[in-house]
Amino acid sequence: MHESPFVFGRLAGMEEFTDRAAETAHLSMNFRSLTNTCLVAPRRWGKSSLVAFAAKQAMKKDKKLRFCMIDLFSVRNEDEFYKLLAETVLKAASRKTDDLMRFVSRFLKQLVPRLSLSADNSEISVSMNWTEVGKNPGELLDLAEKIAADQKIKIVICIDEFQNIGMFENPLAFQKKLRASWQRHKHVAYCIYGSKRNMLLEVFASPHLPFYKFGDLMFLNKIAAKEWQAFITRRFRETGKTINAENALYIARLCENHPFYVQQVAQLSWLRSGKECKKLEIDAAFTSLLDQLGLLFQALTDELSNTQVNFLGAMVNGEEKLSSQQILAKYRIGTSANVLRIKDALLEKEILDFHEGEFQLLDPLYKEWLRKVYFRNKQWG
């Protein structure tokens, strides 16, 4: 029995990675040329998998490249950030324990850190006087640059969930510290991304914030349906099953080409199918996924105001003139000024997205759940 050929919720491997040829080439070139990159896309669109895949491609072409992968998901203050940064940089740059000790004694001598190594030397833990770090954070922020220059290597520091610095005590001051150090680096580049698209857009595209024009602002688009079609049919075939081109395309369109959901529905369909996957099995897989997500979607909807929910009802019903008096009255949304406030609130909650000149529901399965379940018996007007 083959393992499922579809991946979601974790990084995709080489065989599981889908398309993104242009984005991979672009990002890989940025890495090799040490161009800072700010990667922006909605959550669950495969940013982390793209970064990891492009890093592997870049290292094949440039043996001097080293990558530091940092995830700020559980990082809540500056001290934790500095600790994680130091540990990751030291681990990436050190080929042996002697290198590690030399880097510490030479480049962190003012901070006098204490190091702990796991039994197999695979994990590094750094502790130091955080009061001293607070007085001179540049010593840690410049650590990668100093090591890279000394070793004649290039280091790329990839930081996921970058928006979490917004929870630090003084996020603006912290951003200024980062920018002040990082903009001077010549042997190190930074790739910054995260799951809060609107927050990151503000960080990277607002002229009054420190990271404005910090690097190449790179936007991810959805993977095209035809690419999903080819990928799904190939992955079925490689595991001894078949799905025709029409049904593979049907999976992609059901999920509106959303990377996470396409992989998930494809997997559920693969698990339900025998030698050949048919439309009946795809529909059953999609319905079962909607059922699984129902409690989550219900909780999300319960947090919204009545006018916000009504506004979503108008969107799900395909209404276009959302500020017209007829629509405002039919869906009990309030005034046209209230529509603007609703849009802003739903953008902030990442329920809506503004893409290609129009507002869209970001989660295609949430939209389908609203249509099929929540508003199923709703009478408007």
Side-chain angles (χ1 to χ4, degrees), residues 247-276:
N247 284 337
L249 188 63
Y250 180 61
I251 291 176
R253 287 178 173 164
L254 265 180
C255 303
E256 296 183 6
N257 300 334
H258 189 290
F260 186 91
Y261 287 135
V262 171
Q263 295 264 16
Q264 194 169 12
V265 172
Q267 173 178 280
L268 292 171
S269 302
W270 183 90
L271 290 169
R272 286 173 177 270
S273 64
K275 280 290 185 180
E276 182 182 2

Side-chain angles (χ1 to χ4, degrees), residues 98-120:
D98 288 347
D99 289 340
L100 177 63
M101 303 309 294
R102 183 163 55 85
F103 294 155
V104 170
S105 63
R106 183 172 177 185
F107 300 122
L108 295 177
K109 54 189 175 184
Q110 291 184 28
L111 300 178
V112 195
R114 294 185 298 278
L115 293 179
S116 300
L117 296 174
S118 61
D120 60 357

Side-chain angles (χ1 to χ4, degrees), residues 66-68 70 85 89 144 155-159 188-192:
R66 306 284 187 274
F67 281 84
C68 301
I70 296 175
L85 178 65
V89 168
I155 295 176
V156 180
I157 298 178
C158 302
I159 304 178
V188 179
Y190 297 86
C191 179
I192 301 170

Side-chain angles (χ1 to χ4, degrees), residues 142-175:
D142 292 336
L143 176 63
E145 173 68 12
K146 291 175 180 177
I147 292 176
D150 179 72
Q151 296 294 295
K152 295 180 173 57
I153 58 175
K154 298 189 286 188
I155 295 176
V156 180
I157 298 178
C158 302
I159 304 178
D160 197 358
E161 303 296 355
F162 186 74
Q163 75 280 344
N164 277 14
I165 66 173
M167 292 182 286
F168 291 5
E169 186 174 346
N170 192 334
L172 184 58
F174 182 64
Q175 287 182 49

Side-chain angles (χ1 to χ4, degrees), residues 38-45 47-48 72-73 76 159-167 192-205 217 219 300 303 345-353 362:
C38 305
L39 184 60
V40 176
R43 53 196 167 91
R44 294 180 171 179
W45 275 31
K47 293 182 294 296
S48 299
L72 300 186
F73 178 75
R76 293 296 181 268
I159 304 178
D160 197 358
E161 303 296 355
F162 186 74
Q163 75 280 344
N164 277 14
I165 66 173
M167 292 182 286
I192 301 170
Y193 51 106
S195 60
K196 300 289 186 181
R197 181 177 183 268
N198 292 316
M199 188 182 298
L200 289 174
L201 264 178
E202 182 180 2
V203 169
F204 299 146
L217 188 54
F219 294 90
L300 176 63
E303 293 179 355
L346 295 178
L347 282 169
E348 179 68 23
K349 293 175 183 289
E350 297 203 317
I351 292 173
L352 285 189
D353 184 37
L362 193 53

Side-chain angles (χ1 to χ4, degrees), residues 8 35 38 41 96 118 216 220 231 249 256 378:
F8 56 94
T35 299
C38 305
K96 50 190 177 182
S118 61
D216 180 18
L220 283 191
F231 174 76
L249 188 63
E256 296 183 6
K378 182 74 173 178

